[in-house]
Each structure stands twice: as C-alpha cells, then as structure tokens.
Amino acid sequence: VQLVESGGGSVQPGGSLRLSCSATGAAGSPVCMAWFRQGSGRQREAVATIYTGDGSTHYVDDSVKGRFTISQDNTKNTLYLQMNSLKPEDTGLYFCAAGDTWYCLSDFRARNFTYWGQGTQVTVS
C-alpha cells in the first residue's frame, strides 16, 4: 500500500486546512486508517482514526475534538483530515497511516499501523 499526503501548508491561527491521503496498491481495504502528527522534538502520535468498515471515527487527541474531522471517500481511496480553528500547537508533520490488523482499532500506537505516507508539513503561526 502506498500512501501519499497532500494539503499541508502555512496558515495563521484560526485558519483551516484540509489534508488528503491517497491510497494505492491495496488488494483490499485496511482495517483502519489514521492521521498522526509529529511536533518538533516529540514522538509521532495519533490524532484521529477511522474504521474503514463502517466509517466510525475516534479522536485520539482530545485537543482536536470539535476542530478536526477525519473522513474517507472509498470511491476515491482517499482519507481526509479537515482542520479548523488551527492553533500554533497544531504545528507539525502530519502522516497518514493504515493498519491491517484489528489492534489498530483500540491501540493507537504507531507500531500498530503498517503503512505510512511521507508526511505533509502544517505550520500555524
């Protein structure tokens, strides 16, 4: 599975961005997909996940609840992250990830996600 992110950039606080992740090469759908972010000097941490089977979502990072929305378009094999009311602390490298085991539905550590994109930078200042 190849994952390619796009949509990052620089915005002012309060602004919005929409990240996209295009997935190709998969023989079947992964169990779940997620957005991770890695701030400067920090570990890569899950922001939000989605169960590809029914589209149910989980926002791992409480700080993004009510501001970020994860979604998928199965017809386009694309994952999205709509980010509104951006804050400086949202700055980081955002990664798209796919997990092909059931662990990724309940354990959101990076090790449970097999496939990764290269990341797209989001800067809020």
Side-chain angles (χ1 to χ4, degrees):
V1 178
Q2 291 79 46
L3 303 175
V4 179
E5 304 97 336
S6 62
S10 296
V11 295
Q12 294 182 341
S16 298
L17 285 172
R18 187 194 197 201
L19 305 184
S20 299
C21 172
S22 176
T24 59
S29 296
V31 174
C32 50
M33 297 193 71
W35 287 99
F36 282 72
R37 70 182 172 192
Q38 186 168 15
S40 179
R42 302 187 64 178
Q43 291 186 337
R44 193 175 301 186
E45 298 178 333
V47 173
T49 67
I50 189 166
Y51 170 42
T52 61
D54 64 5
S56 56
T57 61
H58 180 69
Y59 295 90
V60 182
D61 187 339
D62 287 341
S63 72
V64 308
K65 291 180 179 179
R67 300 189 298 122
F68 290 12
T69 303
I70 187 172
S71 63
Q72 63 181 6
D73 185 336
N74 291 333
T75 65
K76 298 180 180 179
N77 291 327
T78 301
L79 179 74
Y80 301 101
L81 184 67
Q82 177 67 44
M83 304 186 294
N84 298 327
S85 302
L86 282 161
K87 304 176 181 180
E89 51 264 43
D90 294 319
T91 294
L93 191 58
Y94 283 70
F95 296 89
C96 171
D100 53 9
T101 71
W102 295 104
Y103 290 112
C104 65
L105 290 177
S106 58
D107 185 340
F108 310 116
R109 289 176 288 182
R111 70 181 192 181
N112 290 318
F113 291 81
T114 307
Y115 306 101
W116 293 85
Q118 293 299 307
T120 184
Q121 179 67 35
V122 172
T123 302
V124 185
S125 64

